Amino acid sequence: MAFGRSSRSTRPVEPVTLKILVAGGFGVGKTTLVGAVSEIRPLRTEERLTEAGRPVDDTAGVEAKTTTTVAMDFGRITLREDLVLYLFGTPGQDRFWFLWDELAQGALGAVVLADTRRLEDCFAAVDYFERREIPFTVAVNCFEGADRFPTRTVQAALDLDPEVPVLMCDARDRSSVRDVLVTVVEHALARADRLREPATT
């Protein structure tokens, strides 16, 4: 011991890393959400919308959108010193769904981002995670001018199980997105704990 301190060196904390998917319909704000919260420069794979894609890229309600994700968005956020989330934003159009299985491997949970003007666009993501038993949280991106509904109404419209959290959020706001991600992690870990509980006779 020297100078009253232990000679044992304090090792830095090795953080646990968790993978979270961000899914939802075309133009719902997935790229914005990842970019708002990522502490690194997010990786984006966006291409400009073209006339050739007009028949399959429905821009109703998001007429100002000029680009689309063609592979994934990637970002990272440190929730605590010992907990880091890697965020993978999925492409929204049907023709890119073949990428979802690759992106979903090893995911702890997911955010399904929804827009009340085009709520049906997130049905596919909800169905995907339900079928694969991946815990998810629905986050309603509160666009300006969009109708606001109680979370119970959104839950009923999407026919969600009562345990699935539904939150209102602003995909542009870091603190709002962070709250969504914390909810996803808590929901996924609580679900894992329930599955580990021994069955009662």
Side-chain angles (χ1 to χ4, degrees), residues 74-104:
F74 174 77
R76 184 188 72 199
I77 176 175
T78 302
L79 289 184
R80 299 191 313 245
E81 181 185 5
D82 60 345
L83 181 59
V84 174
L85 301 185
Y86 289 123
L87 308 178
F88 290 80
T90 65
Q93 299 100 311
D94 298 7
R95 64 185 185 277
F96 296 124
W97 281 355
F98 68 93
L99 294 169
W100 284 36
D101 288 340
E102 294 291 332
L103 294 175

Side-chain angles (χ1 to χ4, degrees), residues 32-33 36-37 169-179:
T32 300
L33 183 148
V37 78
C169 79
D170 182 343
R172 302 166 299 180
D173 182 76
R174 180 180 176 83
S175 62
S176 180
V177 173
R178 189 181 186 280
D179 290 343

Side-chain angles (χ1 to χ4, degrees), residues 56-69:
V56 291
D57 293 332
D58 181 10
T59 57
V62 287
E63 289 81 3
K65 186 171 177 61
T66 59
T67 61
T68 185
T69 298

Side-chain angles (χ1 to χ4, degrees), residues 33 111-116 119 137-143 146-155 158 165-173 175-181 183:
L33 183 148
V111 177
V112 174
L113 200 58
D115 178 354
T116 57
L119 199 58
T137 293
V138 172
V140 178
N141 193 8
C142 297
F143 287 93
D147 291 334
R148 306 292 173 92
F149 299 97
T151 55
R152 292 191 304 274
T153 302
V154 175
Q155 194 161 37
L158 294 176
V166 178
L167 296 83
M168 301 294 151
C169 79
D170 182 343
R172 302 166 299 180
D173 182 76
S175 62
S176 180
V177 173
R178 189 181 186 280
D179 290 343
V180 171
L181 296 174
T183 300

